[in-house]
Amino acid sequence: MPQVWKNAQYEPSLRVPFIVSGGSVAARALPRGTAVDAVTSLLDLYPSLLWMARIPQPTQPQLSGSSLAPFLGGGGDLSRRKDYAVSQYHSNLGNTGTFCIVWRNYKYIAFGHGFRRIYGSGEYVPQLFDLEADPGEMYNLAHERPDLALYLDVKLRGELASGFNALSSSGDYHEIDVAVKRSQQALYRRFYLDEARLDIQVERLRKCDELKKSLALKGASLLALDPEAELPCAANDEEPLRQRNRDEKLKADPTWQEDQQHQRSPIDQKLEATMESGAAQQSEHIQSTSAVQHVPPPKTEEQAKLWRLFSRAYTGFDEIDWLKVAAWEQDVP
């Protein structure tokens, strides 16, 4: 499935190689080059590290994952391990959380629809993919296999409802999504709309800019001064560096851009065209949404500070993005 960014439950985001190297001792139980095709999760890392450090596992059900010791020669009953993995993702400034379960060669994805006022009442339909027959996740089987979709939906809800920190006793996607959206809004208001905290961030940006200018006059750079410095001061400062890299590649090879264009697959080119079309439609939709039309542009001093931070932190941040952020902050999940 071609995708942009990582805000999704598709394989380019969800599937993470887990590589273990334990030296000669571990190699006796797990020979070099061994591939384990069992479903695992990042939640398994902590209990695995406890096992490696010879620290007893918690007796109370505080961990959702389980140790990978059986795969690493540490013994244990594989039959007690879950044969599925569950994940949920809540992107900042997103309109819905996503919930996913991978079982055998199937993946089921559901959505929470926490925000409806900005993005309309339309809902994202659940998705079911056969990862073996359809590794690109292009064909949704939810309508063709309703029995399997229901089975995985029940399994996913049950997992989301378990644990001491469950946000919904029934694993309801919308209930969980609403709770997360409210938490995200509270954090946003606390760290971005609170005047004192906003002033601190603006002051950091100002000091960083001053230091960079001072070093530039001396023929030095902040990165040379401190390789671990948070550079650039904001994301948009990277663009001159990207352009310089492009210029250097073109100077070394005048055909570089043409080669890059040639190397893009037809599906990549189709995706880019779709993205451009979708971006134009989304801008029109956002502009025409009543919830957004009443959001004023930056007028107060605090709004101007926030605008400055966002326009520096996000490449291409413009008036439409500002309206979306303000409308997101005002929506009621």
Side-chain angles (χ1 to χ4, degrees), residues 211-226 231:
L211 179 58
K212 287 179 65 179
K213 291 179 181 178
S214 174
L215 291 171
L217 291 174
K218 300 175 182 178
S221 70
L222 184 58
L223 188 60
L225 181 68
D226 182 2
L231 188 75

Side-chain angles (χ1 to χ4, degrees), residues 152-165:
L152 293 177
D153 187 82
V154 172
K155 211 174 185 67
L156 176 57
R157 290 177 185 269
E159 187 70 21
L160 294 173
S162 65
F164 68 95
N165 60 345

Side-chain angles (χ1 to χ4, degrees), residues 286-287 292 297-298 307 316-325:
I286 291 295
Q287 287 176 314
V292 177
W307 170 273
F317 188 87
D318 57 17
E319 290 80 1
I320 297 299
D321 295 315
W322 171 262
L323 294 178
K324 284 192 273 188
V325 170

